[in-house]
Amino acid sequence: PALGMESLPEAVLIRILASIPAVDLVLVCRLVCCQWKNLVDGAALWILKCQQEGLTRGESDAENWQNFYFLSKKRKNLIKNPCGEEDLEHWGEVENGGDGWKIEDLPGDFGKEFPSEEVHKYFVTSYEWCRKAQVIDLRADGYWEELMDTTQPKIRVGDWYAGRSDAGCLYELCVKLLSENEDVLAEYKSETVTIPQENDGSWTEISHTFSSYGPGVRFVRFEHGGQDTLFWKGWYGVRVTNSSVTVEP
């Protein structure tokens, strides 16, 4: 009699399954039979897929290789228009103190080039407080509720700021993890950073990683802003660019 796939050694079956797209493994193959379900739910198949696609992780990390695979493939900056290439598109709750926000080309007057050649523009503030925010819907970006509630992957937020070398300025960053009803479940708020008038105009990165934040996180609210300290008309305040929010594998 002809032999079916169930007669194959498990190691061979895992190699065959590893050639199938990940979404099909979970939504289709997992439903075929108990053996396939156990393989799709197990670690060996996802370890092999990670090896095949060059995805590596530390031995001390969590045990769920399936989640690690999907998070690694999905990893991207969830902030839209982080460098001002689309003017103020995607930024809401905008506060335009003084002469308001402006987008300028790097390096700008009395400024320095950004550390990455991929960044070409920045947002700059004025002589009164300028703030802007962006709210990220994690489910809309593909991070399902069970993943956020059970695995609670780390959420890293980052921002870059700089002053003009001829003007002092202030800078602040505030990021909140919000529930379905927009209750604050975790918050990071920087100190008010003061850049003196005599500075070298260099760019500084600020970052924070949320972990073990508990179940219920559905949104991330990112807000930053600043102003100059000399109250000069125009755009002599803090410069910001390359903002980021990433869900870490």
Side-chain angles (χ1 to χ4, degrees):
L3 298 177
M5 288 189 67
E6 67 275 4
S7 65
L8 293 173
E10 188 171 280
V12 175
L13 185 53
I14 285 175
R15 288 198 168 274
I16 293 173
L17 291 174
S19 65
I20 297 173
V23 173
D24 292 334
L25 285 173
V26 174
L27 298 181
V28 180
C29 297
R30 188 175 179 274
L31 307 180
V32 171
C33 62
C34 289
Q35 182 190 23
W36 285 29
K37 177 181 182 300
N38 291 335
L39 291 179
V40 173
D41 289 346
L45 172 59
W46 298 100
I47 290 174
L48 179 57
K49 285 190 75 66
C50 287
Q51 291 173 343
Q52 290 174 341
E53 300 183 34
L55 305 176
T56 60
R57 64 188 290 186
E59 294 181 358
S60 61
D61 290 332
E63 297 178 357
N64 196 320
W65 280 85
Q66 183 183 129
N67 282 349
F68 172 78
Y69 177 88
F70 279 106
L71 286 171
S72 297
K73 298 292 287 186
K74 192 179 288 293
R75 185 177 182 182
K76 64 178 181 178
N77 184 6
L78 301 178
I79 291 285
K80 298 178 177 65
N81 186 27
C83 305
E85 296 289 349
E86 302 173 69
D87 198 53
L88 285 170
E89 188 73 20
H90 304 296
W91 292 96
E93 302 178 52
V94 178
E95 181 179 342
N96 280 310
D99 288 321
W101 286 97
K102 184 183 179 184
I103 291 87
E104 295 181 345
D105 295 324
L106 281 157
D109 294 339
F110 296 91
K112 286 191 174 180
E113 290 288 357
F114 192 76
S116 170
E117 294 182 355
E118 297 178 356
V119 178
H120 306 289
K121 295 178 181 289
Y122 59 82
F123 302 92
V124 59
T125 60
S126 191
Y127 58 86
E128 292 179 352
W129 270 97
C130 297
R131 292 183 176 88
K132 58 186 176 70
Q134 195 167 137
V135 177
I136 295 163
D137 184 337
L138 293 170
R139 284 177 300 191
D141 278 300
Y143 298 96
W144 58 99
E145 294 181 2
E146 182 182 359
L147 174 73
M148 299 307 302
D149 293 346
T150 304
T151 304
Q152 293 176 33
K154 294 179 179 178
I155 301 174
R156 183 188 183 279
V157 299
D159 203 18
W160 288 81
Y161 64 88
R164 295 171 54 119
S165 60
D166 65 339
C169 59
L170 304 175
Y171 165 82
E172 288 182 357
L173 170 67
C174 180
V175 184
K176 299 177 181 179
L177 305 186
L178 306 177
S179 71
E180 179 75 32
N181 298 322
E182 299 190 4
D183 298 320
V184 179
L185 302 181
E187 180 177 6
Y188 168 75
K189 185 175 177 61
S190 73
E191 298 179 354
T192 300
V193 178
T194 302
I195 301 176
Q197 183 174 3
E198 299 298 327
N199 70 87
D200 62 5
S202 62
W203 288 93
T204 299
E205 183 181 22
I206 184 172
S207 66
H208 175 76
T209 300
F210 292 96
S211 61
S212 302
Y213 40 77
V217 171
R218 299 293 179 264
F219 303 95
V220 180
R221 185 182 186 278
F222 182 105
E223 179 187 299
H224 62 180
Q227 69 172 93
D228 78 44
T229 53
L230 301 174
F231 302 98
W232 288 348
K233 184 172 176 57
W235 297 273
Y236 294 85
V238 72
R239 301 167 170 184
V240 293
T241 195
N242 207 37
S243 308
S244 62
V245 172
T246 54
V247 179
E248 301 288 314

